[in-house]
Amino acid sequence: MSAGSQIANSLRAYLKATVQNAIVTTLLFVAGFAIAGVPWWPLTGFICGVLNLVPQLGPVLALGLALLIEYFATDNWIQLAIVGGIWLVIQIIDGFVLSPRAASRSGVNPLLSIFLVLIAGFFFGPIGMILVVPVTAVALIVIKAVRAQSK
């Protein structure tokens, strides 16, 4: 298989896994908000799931939206803490299970992907966080192809 087709397959697998992660995260938000009794839980969960796709800022906006809706509906601090806890659990699942799984589908080690995303976020911001895994996957394929040809 040529390096070009390997790159295409790797990027396709990463994109597919990322879309699956977004669907799972959205479903987790919807289910969590339904259990917690958040008003308009289907719409709130859907919007939070979509916002979660945006690196760094999206999850914070999702939390803010959920807390704001819950605050205006109930003004109950315990209920606000429950909504915050649901958001935290979903972020942990997304950050340590779903996103590394997407990286591994593209050929990047899941543990390495966590560190790469952190480093890219520090140096290049949200754009770096979005692009670091696909760029690393392409670089690894090119390096393997060059090594194979030099033998």
Side-chain angles (χ1 to χ4, degrees):
M1 184 185 296
S2 72
S5 62
Q6 286 179 344
I7 290 170
N9 288 340
S10 175
L11 294 178
R12 189 176 308 111
Y14 179 72
L15 183 62
K16 181 180 175 185
T18 302
V19 169
Q20 289 172 344
N21 292 354
I23 292 169
V24 169
T25 304
T26 300
L27 291 175
L28 287 173
F29 273 119
V30 169
F33 291 163
I35 292 168
V38 174
W40 310 295
W41 57 266
L43 181 61
T44 305
F46 177 77
I47 293 172
C48 288
V50 171
L51 285 173
N52 203 53
L53 286 170
V54 179
Q56 292 180 329
L57 184 61
V60 174
L61 291 174
L63 175 64
L65 174 69
L67 290 176
L68 191 66
I69 288 173
E70 187 62 38
Y71 178 75
F72 283 125
T74 64
D75 194 19
N76 181 349
W77 292 102
I78 294 172
Q79 193 66 19
L80 288 173
I82 291 170
V83 170
I86 290 169
W87 175 86
L88 181 62
V89 168
I90 292 170
Q91 293 308 310
I92 290 169
I93 292 170
D94 184 39
F96 291 104
V97 176
L98 298 176
S99 293
R101 185 182 133 261
S104 70
R105 295 265 175 104
S106 69
V108 178
N109 181 307
L111 185 60
L112 176 64
S113 72
I114 293 171
F115 291 115
L116 287 174
V117 169
L118 290 173
I119 292 167
F122 179 74
F123 286 109
F124 303 109
I127 298 297
M129 294 176 77
I130 292 170
L131 295 177
V132 70
V133 173
V135 167
T136 302
V138 170
L140 289 173
I141 291 169
V142 170
I143 290 168
K144 287 178 187 176
V146 169
R147 282 185 181 172
Q149 282 193 345
S150 67
K151 287 185 179 180

